[in-house]
Amino acid sequence: MTQLPNRAPSAALLDRVWSTLGLAPVEVDSGAPFAHAVPLESRLATADLAWASVRAVCLAAGVDSLPDPDRIAVAYRSDRVLTVDGRAPDVWSPYSGFFRASDGWIRTHGNYPHHAMRLLTGLGLGIDAAGEDVRAAILTQSAADAVDRIVDAGGLAVPVLPEDPIHDAQLRSAPLLQVDRMPSPSGEEPRRRDGDDRRAPLTGTRVLDLTRVIAGPVCSRTLALLGADVLRVDPPQLPEPEWQHFDTGHGKRSTLLDAGTERFDELLAEADVVVLGYRPAALARLGLSASALIERHPSLVIAELSAWGDDHPSRAGFDSLVQAESGIAMIETPDGDRPGVLPAQALDHSAGYLLAASIISLLERRRREGGGWVVRTSLRRVAAELLGMPRSSGSRSVSGSERERVLDLAAHTATFDVAGQTITTARSALPGLDLAAPHRWGSDQPRW
């Protein structure tokens, strides 16, 4: 029998989001005719989190149709359906994953070359070390010692821990989306949008995208889908894996530019929205913290995403690491011993959609009330939200019909030609809207 969705958790989450954004409670979904649950099977309420996050964008943007649960699932697992010239890219480095230590487990992340090099250095291994060499080196150490050595060398690793309900409750005592209004000086006027097309409500809105990996790019990709002019800016010295940009770069232009240049300041001066996805401490060093940007440009709408939140401004992280340290990995264990994972990088994707919904809403509030606006969240805060939602105590097995729905991709993927390469990616999770082709990473000029 097809599982029906649990309306209560997703509706409750939507109500909390709407209250945070200063909007009326959501009643439109109280009796919505869902066809079935989002097929993201897990013990935690991953399906409800995904539904509510995508639905929040639809409601904020005036998209009346309900999203397709199957398409949401495919969009959340977009890295698994991406192909470049018919081939699936190697998504995970052999240095990324769960590794058993002498007294437990750790999770590492080495997908970027500089992170891989630092991880190997911390473990005393050479640049040609294989994944099995990493496994052997970690197995001889305690989890705490292995993590300390990797982190001290500038690499990324966390211990796999059980959940901490008291800490999660403390995190949930703060809003999932922290919204702050910054009054503008007298006479300060935001740049007006050029149009108000219901299918493209952000037409004329300029978005400066300073994000990487998944959550921030999903947010800015969604804004581009809704008509915004999105320019992603990356530092020239930090290359991005080509496949990763193809996965989340739809509808955006991409340029390479140092943040300390005069040209960057000119781009910033003409932006309506800035999306920040780097560590808060790194942004502060560059003069790009939300407070610094608002001081220079008081009518901006700023979305700031971090892995661990403002309490850990210097700490880098990714969805997989937050799952491991927050307790999610052990809740999703396949056998009671080995850590497991959510069926998608749901913290990333949900954070991206929730921030996009916030930006749309705050642009409208800026139009009505003036001022600048800042919205913040973190992957760890999204994890705390998920850990506080009702969960299943049953197995994670997926029924045949659900597996077929997830793997029946013809209706939920799109193919683009990008500079002679054939790219197949997940289609938009928002009903009635189609993603535009991604550009090549760094291939555009730094201009609006």
Side-chain angles (χ1 to χ4, degrees):
M1 179 181 294
T2 300
Q3 179 187 3
L4 294 176
N6 189 340
R7 293 180 176 85
S10 59
L13 178 54
L14 277 170
D15 282 344
R16 289 196 298 278
V17 168
W18 246 232
S19 176
T20 296
L21 297 177
L23 303 171
V26 179
E27 298 180 356
V28 66
D29 287 340
S30 58
F34 300 80
H36 53 76
V38 175
L40 293 172
E41 187 79 2
S42 62
R43 293 189 179 94
L44 294 170
T46 309
D48 296 297
L49 176 67
W51 173 271
S53 302
V54 173
R55 185 64 175 138
V57 180
C58 294
L59 292 170
V63 177
D64 295 328
S65 300
L66 291 173
D68 182 334
D70 297 348
R71 187 160 297 178
I72 292 175
V74 174
Y76 265 60
R77 298 163 64 142
S78 59
D79 59 325
R80 306 185 192 188
V81 301
L82 174 71
T83 62
V84 180
D85 289 334
R87 299 182 61 182
D90 292 327
V91 172
W92 291 102
S93 159
Y95 308 133
S96 297
F98 293 111
F99 293 91
R100 191 186 289 273
S102 63
D103 61 349
W105 292 87
I106 74 170
R107 176 93 197 204
T108 64
H109 197 286
N111 282 11
Y112 282 100
H114 59 290
H115 290 151
M117 179 67 68
R118 294 166 187 169
L119 182 148
L120 295 174
T121 298
L123 294 174
L125 300 172
I127 60 173
D128 296 327
E132 287 306 311
D133 298 322
V134 171
R135 193 173 302 280
I138 292 172
L139 187 59
T140 65
Q141 307 173 56
S142 70
D145 286 345
V147 168
D148 286 347
R149 290 182 63 182
I150 292 169
V151 172
D152 288 347
L156 294 173
V158 300
V160 176
L161 299 178
E163 67 175 313
D164 183 345
I166 294 176
H167 181 53
D168 287 316
Q170 291 172 340
L171 291 173
R172 288 193 297 273
S173 68
L176 174 59
L177 299 158
Q178 180 65 52
V179 175
D180 295 298
R181 183 180 186 273
M182 308 298 204
S184 296
S186 177
E188 176 74 24
E189 290 289 335
R191 204 175 62 83
R192 298 296 177 183
R193 288 188 277 124
D194 298 329
D196 192 20
D197 181 350
R198 186 171 178 80
R199 288 180 57 84
L202 299 185
T203 298
T205 301
R206 290 175 173 172
V207 178
L208 202 58
D209 178 12
L210 308 180
T211 70
R212 313 201 106 195
V213 195
I214 298 176
V218 164
C219 170
S220 55
R221 178 187 69 187
T222 305
L223 301 178
L225 177 68
L226 294 167
D229 179 6
V230 179
L231 178 62
R232 172 169 164 166
V233 178
D234 284 91
Q237 69 273 19
L238 286 180
E240 181 82 338
E242 182 182 59
W243 72 264
Q244 194 157 263
H245 184 64
F246 285 151
D247 186 38
T248 56
H250 301 80
K252 297 180 276 190
R253 290 175 297 114
S254 169
T255 194
L256 305 182
L257 186 67
D258 193 288
T261 62
E262 181 179 350
R263 184 67 195 120
F264 181 87
D265 288 339
E266 292 169 351
L267 291 172
L268 186 60
E270 297 181 25
D272 298 291
V273 176
V274 180
V275 186
L276 303 171
Y278 293 86
R279 288 175 295 141
L283 292 170
R285 285 197 301 271
L286 294 169
L288 296 176
S289 66
S291 59
L293 292 176
I294 285 287
E295 185 175 348
R296 292 157 61 187
H297 304 285
S299 63
L300 280 172
V301 171
I302 298 175
E304 185 172 0
L305 171 81
S306 62
W308 303 100
D310 288 342
D311 291 340
H312 303 279
S314 299
R315 193 179 182 196
F318 295 91
D319 182 303
S320 58
L321 300 181
V322 175
Q323 286 192 41
E325 189 171 298
S326 68
I328 290 173
M330 290 315 301
I331 292 171
E332 298 294 343
T333 174
D335 56 14
D337 173 39
R338 293 173 298 147
V341 295
L342 296 175
Q345 294 190 68
L347 308 180
D348 265 328
H349 285 271
S350 295
Y353 287 117
L354 290 170
L355 284 177
S358 302
I359 290 167
I360 298 164
S361 301
L362 294 178
L363 282 167
E364 177 59 24
R365 290 186 69 179
R366 185 185 72 172
R367 186 190 66 79
R368 297 195 315 265
E369 304 172 32
W373 296 83
V374 179
V375 57
R376 295 181 175 90
T377 196
S378 68
L379 301 183
R380 184 61 184 89
R381 178 60 185 84
V382 176
E385 195 71 23
L386 178 61
L387 287 162
M389 296 171 73
R391 64 183 71 172
S392 168
S393 59
S395 71
R396 288 191 52 184
S397 62
V398 179
S399 71
S401 61
E402 287 179 334
R403 184 176 296 111
E404 289 170 6
R405 286 203 304 273
V406 173
L407 298 179
D408 181 13
L409 301 178
H412 305 307
T413 56
T415 299
F416 306 96
D417 183 280
V418 181
Q421 289 183 289
T422 301
I423 313 299
T424 298
T425 63
R427 293 182 65 184
S428 164
L430 274 63
L433 297 170
D434 292 318
L435 296 165
H439 292 197
R440 281 189 174 277
W441 182 77
S443 64
D444 295 291
Q445 294 299 311
R447 62 186 179 217
W448 294 113

